[in-house]
Amino acid sequence: MVRQERALRTRRLILEAAASVFDEFGYEGATIGEVVTRAGVTRGAVYFHFASKRDLAQGVVEEQFSQDGVPERSCKLQEFVDTGMVVAHLMPRDPLLSAGARLSLGQDLFDDLGGGAIPGWIDRMEALLTVAGERGELLPHVVPADTAWLVIAAWTGVQIQSQKLSGRADLELRVSGLFQHLMPSIAVPGVLGSLRMGPDRGAQVVAEIAAARASDDGVDGDGGDEGGAVPVEQQAGVGVG
């Protein structure tokens, strides 16, 4: 058991290092040697977990789905919005999300990774919309699969535009604007009026997740323990980006 836990920690360390390398250099410019240096592990350790650079890139893309999502809500459309807003908040701060986006959109690797993270995000959003429909939160014309596809396409476009024009500095503001334009076309009026879609929504949810996790782990109110404070984004551990 101890050996297995150590292996999982090493794998995560390698993925985090690889994400920073892919995010900085892209797939073609990234090297296993640089990953080894940043992770502080041996080359053999990297190849124990990942057979090639392509497998490592696939691991980075898939890692964002290995954690729990945003907190479950009684209103599934709020959970739908929260998912998009949390990713908007974390993407400029989390290399795994940022690298996952770059690898998913890079034309030299897109086909090889089967669309990267995009199919996974479409599936996640479709699942939320399907439950929302079952609970009477959606207007009658809404088809969850079609709406999920369009939302992810729009979100991706917003992310690219924000990256190009502001280095993602305005990403939360722009994604908030996307939801404020989108939700009136899919949500019933009674639900629409209750949705929280402001630019600070992602930060609020991340803080909520971190507080809940700190409480579960017995961490004191300052978010620290004997080992020192853990960054909010790392405490959140949400599978988003």
Side-chain angles (χ1 to χ4, degrees):
M1 182 65 69
V2 173
R3 185 177 301 172
Q4 183 179 16
E5 291 176 354
R6 186 183 301 117
L8 290 173
R9 288 196 299 270
T10 300
R11 185 180 187 277
R12 174 72 183 193
L13 186 65
I14 293 168
L15 284 173
E16 290 174 348
S20 69
V21 174
F22 285 130
D23 196 33
E24 183 174 345
F25 298 106
Y27 181 78
E28 290 299 327
T31 65
I32 296 294
E34 184 63 25
V35 174
V36 167
T37 298
R38 295 194 185 189
V41 300
T42 66
R43 187 175 291 266
V46 173
Y47 283 115
F48 175 81
H49 291 280
F50 303 98
S52 64
K53 186 168 76 168
R54 188 259 179 215
D55 285 348
L56 191 52
Q58 185 71 53
V60 168
V61 168
E62 293 175 352
E63 184 68 11
Q64 60 195 284
F65 299 108
S66 69
Q67 306 290 337
D68 295 334
V70 302
E72 187 173 354
R73 310 292 185 191
S74 58
C75 175
K76 284 298 169 180
L77 283 185
Q78 184 64 68
E79 197 172 329
F80 177 81
V81 171
D82 286 353
T83 298
M85 291 306 303
V86 165
V87 175
H89 176 73
L90 291 180
M91 184 160 289
R93 301 166 171 85
D94 184 347
L96 275 166
L97 282 173
S98 185
R102 180 165 183 170
L103 291 169
S104 298
L105 298 172
Q107 292 303 311
D108 56 337
L109 196 62
F110 186 87
D111 293 336
D112 195 32
L113 292 183
I118 293 172
W121 283 115
I122 292 174
D123 289 346
R124 178 168 291 190
M125 298 304 250
E126 180 183 347
L128 290 172
L129 289 171
T130 297
V131 178
E134 294 169 351
R135 296 185 180 183
E137 298 175 15
L138 298 179
L139 293 170
H141 69 274
V142 177
V143 178
D146 293 345
T147 300
W149 195 100
L150 289 170
V151 168
I152 295 304
W155 199 107
T156 301
V158 168
Q159 189 274 138
I160 293 172
Q161 190 103 322
S162 176
Q163 171 68 25
K164 295 289 187 182
L165 298 180
S166 73
R168 297 197 185 114
D170 65 349
L171 182 56
E172 292 174 88
L173 176 66
R174 300 304 180 183
V175 172
S176 172
L178 171 65
F179 280 118
Q180 291 179 43
H181 280 78
L182 166 73
M183 300 312 288
S185 69
I186 70 171
V188 297
V191 170
L192 179 63
S194 70
L195 294 178
R196 300 173 63 184
M197 300 179 283
D200 59 348
R201 180 59 182 171
Q204 293 170 355
V205 176
V206 167
E208 175 189 351
I209 296 167
R213 179 160 296 180
S215 177
D216 290 343
D217 292 344
V219 179
D220 63 40
D222 293 330
D225 57 15
E226 293 182 0
V230 179
V232 168
E233 289 75 22
Q234 184 177 337
Q235 290 183 41
V238 291
V240 292

